[in-house]
């Protein structure tokens, strides 16, 4: 696809994500109906646009997107500003009642869907400053260990029992969330410690010291902004965002497994080991995180260039945000997804045996 198509896609990512940033910022400053407008944009409006507009197109492999990194940096800085402003506005009493509730929910959805997707992209970058910026976003949400667990554990062991963030068939979201949070913390710690034990000259600071120390700094800043209420609001926003991240992991890997080959080895990661969603608007909102199979096969690929091939990649019945909502009701989730998991599992077993 032409470079013009790539520019069009970047314009779409930029317009949709920064519109939400602007609406949240206005809502925190002006109050009134604005927090409700921001909340409606990330929920009702996104759903309607997904229903009205067809799937997005793919771009040619190998294209570079310097504008993609620029948007990622902008969103990371906006995240830090909105987080501080949200703690101040909600805990400090600038927003009250239902307006404060709308701002809290809208911010949590932004942090969990947009900021999470953006930090996820940044920690995969080869540039160390971009990686550090991604870690900073995760640390600000009291979830710094995810930067290690995602790279060192999830990408290595995805779709196996060794990965805490790959949901098993029949496993409800709430059971998965408790297992994945604690499991990823421990697995990431083990992986980072083992890596440093093998290194000839390990770094002075263990990453987990940075994650925990950084979380302490963030809590102190929240206290300075709005006292103990600020700490409570920060923890609430972080928990809300972490729930969104875990929902994303749950939905995008539910029930899919890498099987044993005839030679006894586990099959390599393939397009069949992640769920995907083609919807145009929500995909742009979460920076193509919905094209998850291609990300696992090509982790270093810039998010605008991720591909989607419905013939070889499992496709969710609805958009990622809708399926995340469905996952909150485990019996209904299993009724919808378990037959599709069984179908893909049968296909996967046949291909793994070859």
């Amino acid at each position: 696809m032409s470079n013009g198509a790539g520019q069009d896609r970047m314009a779409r990512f930029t317009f949709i994500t920064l519109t939400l940033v602007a609406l949240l910022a206005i809502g925190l400053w002006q109050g009134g109906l604005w927090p409700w407008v921001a909340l409606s944009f990330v929920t009702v409006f996104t759903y309607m646009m997904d229903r009205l507009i067809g799937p997005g197109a793919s771009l040619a492999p190998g294209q570079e997107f310097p504008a993609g990194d620029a948007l990622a940096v902008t969103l990371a800085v906006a995240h830090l500003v909105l987080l501080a402003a949200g703690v101040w506005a909600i805990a400090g009493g600038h927003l009250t009642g239902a307006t404060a509730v709308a701002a809290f929910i809208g911010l949590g959805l932004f942090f969990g869907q947009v900021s999470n997707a953006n930090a996820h992209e940044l920690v995969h970058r080869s540039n160390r400053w971009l990686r550090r910026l991604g870690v900073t976003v995760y640390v600000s949400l009291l979830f710094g260990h995810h930067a290690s667990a995602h790279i060192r554990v999830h990408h290595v062991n995805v779709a196996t029992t060794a990965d805490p963030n790959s949901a098993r068939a029949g496993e409800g979201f709430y059971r998965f969330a408790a297992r994945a949070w604690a499991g990823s913390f421990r697995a990431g710690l083990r992986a980072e410690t083992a890596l440093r034990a093998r290194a000839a000259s390990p770094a002075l600071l263990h990453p987990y010291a940075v994650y925990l120390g950084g979380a302490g700094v963030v809590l102190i800043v929240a206290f300075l902004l709005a006292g103990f209420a600020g700490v409570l609001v920060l923890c609430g926003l972080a928990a809300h965002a972490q729930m969104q991240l875990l929902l994303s992991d749950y939905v995008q890997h539910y029930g899919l497994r890498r099987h044993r080959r005839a030679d006894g080895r586990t099959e390599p990661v393939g397009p069949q080991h992640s769920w995907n969603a083609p919807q145009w608007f929500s995909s742009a909102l979460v920076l193509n995180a919905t094209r998850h199979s291609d990300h696992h096969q090509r982790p270093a690929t810039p998010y605008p260039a991720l591909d989607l091939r419905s013939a070889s990649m499992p496709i969710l019945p609805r958009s990622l945000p809708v399926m995340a909502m469905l996952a909150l009701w485990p019996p209904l989730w299993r009724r919808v997804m378990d037959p599709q998991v069984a179908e893909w599992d049968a296909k996967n077993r046949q291909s793994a045996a070859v």
Side-chain angles (χ1 to χ4, degrees):
M1 190 169 288
S2 67
N3 187 54
Q7 293 175 350
D8 290 344
R9 174 173 286 190
M10 281 311 309
R12 171 164 57 95
F13 288 130
T14 302
F15 176 77
I16 293 174
T17 55
L18 295 187
T19 294
L20 179 55
V21 168
L23 291 175
L24 288 168
I26 295 170
L28 292 175
W29 183 251
Q30 294 292 332
L33 290 176
W34 284 105
W36 293 100
V37 174
L39 179 57
S40 298
F41 180 87
V42 74
T43 55
V44 177
F45 186 73
T46 296
Y47 173 79
M48 292 174 59
M49 293 299 288
D50 276 345
R51 299 285 291 180
L52 290 172
I53 303 175
S58 297
L59 298 179
Q63 286 196 20
E64 295 185 2
F65 299 91
D69 284 349
L71 177 59
V73 171
T74 301
L75 288 172
V77 173
H79 162 89
L80 297 174
V81 173
L82 286 175
L83 183 59
V87 169
W88 169 80
I90 298 171
H94 181 69
L95 301 178
T96 59
T99 302
V101 172
F104 180 91
I105 297 173
L107 283 170
L109 291 173
F110 172 78
F111 297 149
Q113 296 182 24
V114 183
S115 291
N116 165 49
N118 189 48
H120 166 261
E121 287 298 323
L122 287 169
V123 298
H124 278 286
R125 292 290 180 260
S126 58
N127 181 291
R128 66 177 179 174
W129 295 108
L130 293 179
R131 288 200 310 274
R132 288 173 178 174
L133 186 57
V135 170
T136 300
V137 171
Y138 281 130
V139 167
S140 74
L141 295 173
L142 312 181
F143 209 52
H145 73 269
H146 185 75
S148 288
H150 180 77
I151 301 293
R152 312 278 184 219
V153 181
H154 180 62
H155 269 269
V156 176
N157 300 308
V158 65
T160 72
T161 56
D163 176 33
N165 289 72
S166 291
R168 304 156 184 166
E171 183 178 30
F173 169 70
Y174 303 103
R175 182 180 298 176
F176 162 81
R179 178 178 65 80
W181 202 107
S184 62
F185 185 95
R186 292 193 299 264
L189 178 59
R190 285 195 302 269
E192 291 287 8
T193 302
L195 181 65
R196 272 142 191 81
R198 296 191 300 268
S201 54
L204 294 177
L205 272 181
H206 193 291
Y208 271 63
V210 176
Y211 306 152
L212 296 175
V217 171
V218 171
L219 291 170
I220 291 171
V221 171
F223 179 81
L224 294 175
L225 285 170
F228 286 110
V231 173
L232 290 176
V233 169
L234 173 69
C235 290
L237 287 170
H240 188 5
Q242 291 174 25
M243 175 76 76
Q244 301 295 313
L245 185 153
L246 291 170
L247 275 168
S248 178
D249 277 346
Y250 178 81
V251 169
Q252 291 179 308
H253 293 290
Y254 176 77
L256 300 176
R257 279 291 178 264
R258 289 155 63 190
H259 295 293
R260 294 284 182 184
R261 287 175 155 180
D263 59 9
R265 294 183 300 173
T266 302
E267 64 176 324
V269 177
Q272 71 273 26
H273 296 128
S274 302
W275 293 100
N276 304 270
Q279 286 76 12
W280 184 90
F281 196 89
S282 58
S283 291
L285 186 66
V286 299
L287 306 176
N288 262 353
T290 54
R291 300 185 171 200
H292 209 58
S293 289
D294 197 30
H295 168 70
H296 269 279
Q297 291 188 278
R298 303 186 297 157
T301 299
Y303 64 88
L306 291 174
D307 197 8
L308 182 62
R309 302 179 299 277
S310 58
S312 60
M313 298 176 176
I315 304 296
L316 291 165
R318 295 288 185 271
S319 68
L320 181 59
V322 170
M323 296 306 294
M325 289 292 295
L326 187 66
L328 297 175
W329 284 267
L332 183 57
W333 168 267
R334 287 192 290 265
R335 188 183 313 165
V336 172
M337 289 301 298
D338 282 4
Q340 300 203 38
V341 168
E343 180 180 343
W344 273 98
D345 186 69
K347 295 179 182 177
N348 293 349
R349 287 183 184 277
Q350 291 177 359
S351 61
V354 175

